[in-house]
Amino acid sequence: MKKTISTALVVLTLAAAVLAGNPPMAGTIVSENSVDCGTKGNKKKQQDLVCQEYVVRTTTTEYHIRQQKQKDQSLLPMNSSIEFTMDKDKMKFKLNGSNYEFLVVSETAVAAAGK
């Protein structure tokens, strides 16, 4: 009886751990655009900051993502396949051995083919 209860608790714990994590999704980086992301400096001398905004396309959704900090500027190669996870408003993925975390700016549905 105790062995059955212990086994059931282990199975339930493992099932909860698996369901708690966000499943990875497959996508492709399809475009990049430089966008204004604020200014820096004082009143006399201000400099506009430019960030990269990427479009990641899945089979059903397009995600527009931006780097969180302007200093983290590294260009990602277009048409790169990625496997990402979502955590609230952040997209996390690994590409070419580097880990990336981007803010999701917007989402749009992909139009069905043939319509």
Side-chain angles (χ1 to χ4, degrees), residues 29 74-77 80-83 92-101:
I29 300 171
S74 57
L75 292 176
L76 302 177
S80 296
S81 295
I82 61 171
E83 195 169 86
K92 299 176 182 181
F93 60 91
K94 191 172 187 174
L95 181 64
N96 297 333
S98 297
N99 291 320
Y100 295 95
E101 185 174 302

Side-chain angles (χ1 to χ4, degrees), residues 69-87:
K69 298 176 184 168
Q70 198 266 343
K71 68 177 184 171
D72 296 337
Q73 297 223 6
S74 57
L75 292 176
L76 302 177
M78 294 303 102
N79 297 318
S80 296
S81 295
I82 61 171
E83 195 169 86
F84 63 92
T85 57
M86 299 293 289
D87 183 17

